[in-house]
């Protein structure tokens, strides 16, 4: 009898620390990220490689899914003013949708996002010729841009915040661009409901780099109609007017007195149908805004969007000098996304942070040149809240 009491006492002494450790882990999880990053198979790429889907959840229950195919953000689930979680990003249900996609939904875009005029540029007198995949121009990296590549993924979560690192090395002369470019994108979902995207790149030959994310947002949810009533503000007093191929003319034009003045909160649709030369060329907004930077290269507020029915608010912060507002002018209902929803004209907007389009051909624009020994490093934060 006595022996068994002693035995129980000894056993409990042995198990006590284990139980305490388990309790402390549980409480840490309850207060921290709750769920670790989840990884699910997402299907095979056209060349037979396995892709994955990573689901990042923060302590508030906000959830962002990203695939290492194309570095694509496939969904962003955020609360509305009543706390109801809803997806605010366009996307497809399966990998095949992204493989066939031609409008860059959710994608990491590179090596050079937006357009390069006449599909050519020069560095130190050497001319580089790219593929013409948009009229006479190169759009979003060429025929097979970063959005169609399989990236190497690593879980780099820390301090209770899930983070996914994606790496891709673009080889010398891929799509016509010089230099082996090692690119890294880190997506962090913070507990302040921010999707933070950090891009870095290095090269072994002089090249040009401009990386962005091409998420299409509808803050009321994809398929809930157009985004014309979404109120936006853009921290820009100038924009870069374009020619008929949507290539900047080189001018930095004042927004004052034009439909491009979003310095005060204005509905996207308030002036979109005006008979304005630039709106006619873009079939709506498809223009780069020159951000007011009181801290050059600092992380500053670039734009804010507010959706009146759900109260959802998106703020875009960036270290970049420009932001492209694209109002889904080329969506025509022929694409069926998640749940079979038809993506119709102006059913979403994009706020693509970037250096200005066609910078390699405009010496008055901030430079996109990257040399060996330099490190390209930019940050963009998409911050969600509700009012
Ligand atoms: C960018 C361009 C648009 C269009 C979309 C993708 O935003 O500026 O003109 O090409 O990508 O469809």
């Amino acid at each position: 009898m006595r022996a068994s009491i002693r035995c129980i006492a000894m056993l409990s002494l042995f198990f006590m620390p284990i139980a305490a450790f388990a309790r402390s882990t549980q409480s840490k999880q309850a207060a921290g990220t709750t769920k670790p990053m989840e990884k699910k198979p997402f299907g095979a790429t056209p060349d037979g490689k396995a892709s994955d889907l990573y689901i990042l959840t923060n302590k508030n229950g906000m959830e962002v899914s990203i695939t290492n195919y194309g570095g694509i953000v496939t969904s962003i689930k955020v609360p509305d003013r009543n706390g109801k979680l809803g997806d605010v990003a366009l996307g497809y249900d399966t990998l095949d949708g992204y493989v066939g996609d031609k409008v860059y939904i959710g994608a990491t875009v590179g090596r050079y996002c937006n357009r390069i005029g006449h599909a050519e540029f020069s560095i130190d007198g050497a001319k580089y010729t790219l593929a013409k995949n948009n009229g006479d121009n190169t759009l979003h990296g060429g025929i097979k841009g970063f959005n169609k590549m399989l990236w190497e993924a690593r879980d780099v979560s820390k301090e209770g915040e899930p983070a996914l690192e994606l790496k891709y090395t673009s080889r010398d002369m891929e799509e016509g661009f010089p230099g082996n470019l090692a690119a890294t994108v880190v997506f962090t979902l913070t507990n302040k409901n921010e999707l933070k995207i950090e891009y870095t790149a290095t090269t072994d030959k002089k090249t040009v780099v401009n990386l962005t994310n091409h998420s299409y947002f509808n803050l009321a949810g994809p398929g809930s109609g157009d985004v014309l009533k979404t109120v936006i503000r853009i921290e820009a007093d100038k924009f870069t007017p374009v020619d008929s191929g949507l290539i900047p003319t080189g001018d930095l034009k004042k927004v004052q007195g034009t439909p491009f003045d979003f310095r005060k909160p204005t509905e996207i649709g308030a002036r979109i149908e005006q008979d304005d030369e630039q709106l006619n060329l873009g079939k709506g907004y498809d223009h780069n805004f020159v951000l007011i930077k009181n801290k050059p290269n600092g992380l500053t507020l670039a734009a804010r969007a507010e959706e009146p029915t759900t109260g959802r608010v998106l703020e875009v912060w960036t270290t970049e000098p420009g932001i492209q507002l694209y109002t889904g002018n080329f969506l025509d209902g022929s694409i069926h996304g998640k749940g079979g929803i038809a993506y119709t004209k102006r059913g979403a907007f994009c706020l693509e942070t970037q250096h200005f389009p066609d910078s390699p051909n405009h010496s008055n624009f901030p430079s996109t040149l990257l040399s060996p020994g330099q490190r390209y490093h930019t940050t963009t934060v998409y911050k969600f809240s509700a009012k």
Side-chain angles (χ1 to χ4, degrees):
M1 178 68 183
R2 242 197 228 145
S4 65
I5 289 174
R6 210 179 308 141
C7 174
I8 290 170
M10 273 169 64
L11 274 176
S12 63
L13 269 178
F14 174 75
F15 281 114
M16 239 159 55
I18 299 180
F21 173 75
R23 265 199 313 275
S24 87
T25 318
Q26 266 171 11
S27 61
K28 238 184 245 158
Q29 279 186 347
T33 19
T34 59
K35 274 199 217 166
M37 189 187 305
E38 208 187 318
K39 175 179 170 184
K40 286 187 188 163
F42 199 49
T45 65
D47 47 2
K49 293 189 187 124
S51 73
D52 293 299
L53 188 69
Y54 295 84
I55 301 150
L56 288 65
T57 310
N58 72 6
K59 71 166 195 207
N60 314 316
M62 176 176 165
E63 187 196 286
V64 174
S65 301
I66 303 162
T67 169
N68 62 331
Y69 176 78
I72 296 168
V73 176
T74 62
S75 85
I76 304 176
K77 293 182 185 159
V78 289
D80 65 8
R81 65 161 73 90
N82 300 315
K84 192 171 152 253
L85 217 58
D87 195 354
V88 296
L90 269 53
Y92 303 96
D93 287 321
T94 62
L95 177 71
D96 288 351
Y98 292 102
V99 169
D101 170 85
K102 293 191 174 63
V103 297
Y104 306 87
I105 292 184
T108 295
V109 184
R111 174 179 308 200
Y112 196 98
C113 67
N114 215 316
R115 293 172 177 78
I116 295 185
H118 306 296
E120 60 184 35
F121 65 95
S122 297
I123 297 176
D124 296 339
K127 188 163 142 189
Y128 296 96
T129 307
L130 312 169
K132 295 183 175 176
N133 64 333
N134 187 244
D136 192 37
N137 308 314
T138 304
L139 176 67
H140 293 329
I143 293 165
K144 193 173 178 192
F146 287 12
N147 59 309
K148 299 287 182 204
M149 301 300 183
L150 192 67
W151 296 60
E152 205 185 296
R154 197 161 68 101
D155 182 346
V156 293
S157 304
K158 55 179 180 230
E159 288 149 26
E161 292 182 328
L164 177 71
E165 177 192 84
L166 297 181
K167 276 182 182 284
Y168 172 67
T169 299
S170 164
R171 54 176 209 287
D172 185 22
M173 296 314 286
E174 186 176 289
E175 292 293 329
F177 292 97
N180 291 296
L181 184 86
T184 304
V185 186
V186 177
F187 297 88
T188 305
L189 176 57
T190 76
N191 287 325
K192 290 188 266 171
N193 286 5
E194 299 161 325
L195 173 61
K196 178 172 163 197
I197 313 179
E198 283 173 281
Y199 304 86
T200 50
T202 54
T203 183
D204 59 3
K205 268 189 206 156
K206 281 188 183 173
T207 190
V208 292
V209 193
N210 201 7
L211 305 177
T212 196
N213 176 270
H214 208 300
S215 285
Y216 285 72
F217 300 101
N218 183 326
L219 298 176
S224 62
D226 63 46
V227 292
L228 298 177
K229 292 265 178 248
T230 297
V231 173
I232 61 166
R233 197 176 94 202
I234 302 179
E235 303 298 314
D237 50 14
K238 294 188 190 101
F239 73 109
T240 49
V242 291
D243 67 14
S244 60
L246 300 188
I247 299 297
T249 58
D251 279 2
L252 302 180
K253 189 173 170 178
K254 286 207 169 101
V255 295
Q256 192 167 16
T258 77
F260 293 81
D261 192 349
F262 283 103
R263 292 173 299 173
K264 290 206 184 90
T266 310
E267 285 181 3
I268 290 179
R271 299 159 302 184
I272 202 166
E273 297 298 347
Q274 275 184 16
D275 186 15
D276 171 88
E277 189 214 6
Q278 285 297 314
L279 285 175
N280 292 340
L281 289 169
K283 304 198 165 34
Y285 295 101
D286 194 353
H287 295 78
N288 166 65
F289 288 75
V290 179
L291 294 171
I292 300 164
K293 292 296 251 195
N294 33 32
K295 285 188 272 175
N297 305 319
L299 189 67
T300 54
L301 181 67
R304 183 179 188 280
E306 188 175 331
E307 200 286 313
T309 62
T310 61
R312 290 200 183 97
V313 175
L314 163 64
E315 276 181 13
V316 185
W317 292 72
T318 190
T319 59
E320 289 281 20
I323 196 166
Q324 180 94 358
L325 170 65
Y326 170 57
T327 46
N329 313 316
F330 301 123
L331 298 177
D332 59 5
S334 60
I335 296 174
H336 291 263
K338 293 175 211 173
I341 293 168
Y343 291 154
T344 48
K345 189 171 175 185
R346 312 228 163 104
F349 63 90
C350 303
L351 285 167
E352 307 155 47
T353 56
Q354 54 181 225
H355 268 55
F356 308 167
D358 199 31
S359 295
N361 295 312
H362 297 277
S363 55
N364 59 327
F365 287 178
S367 173
T368 50
L369 188 74
L370 185 72
S371 300
Q374 290 180 333
R375 185 165 170 266
Y376 170 93
H377 180 58
T378 70
T379 304
T380 290
V381 176
Y382 291 107
K383 182 177 169 62
F384 295 89
S385 56
K387 266 185 67 173

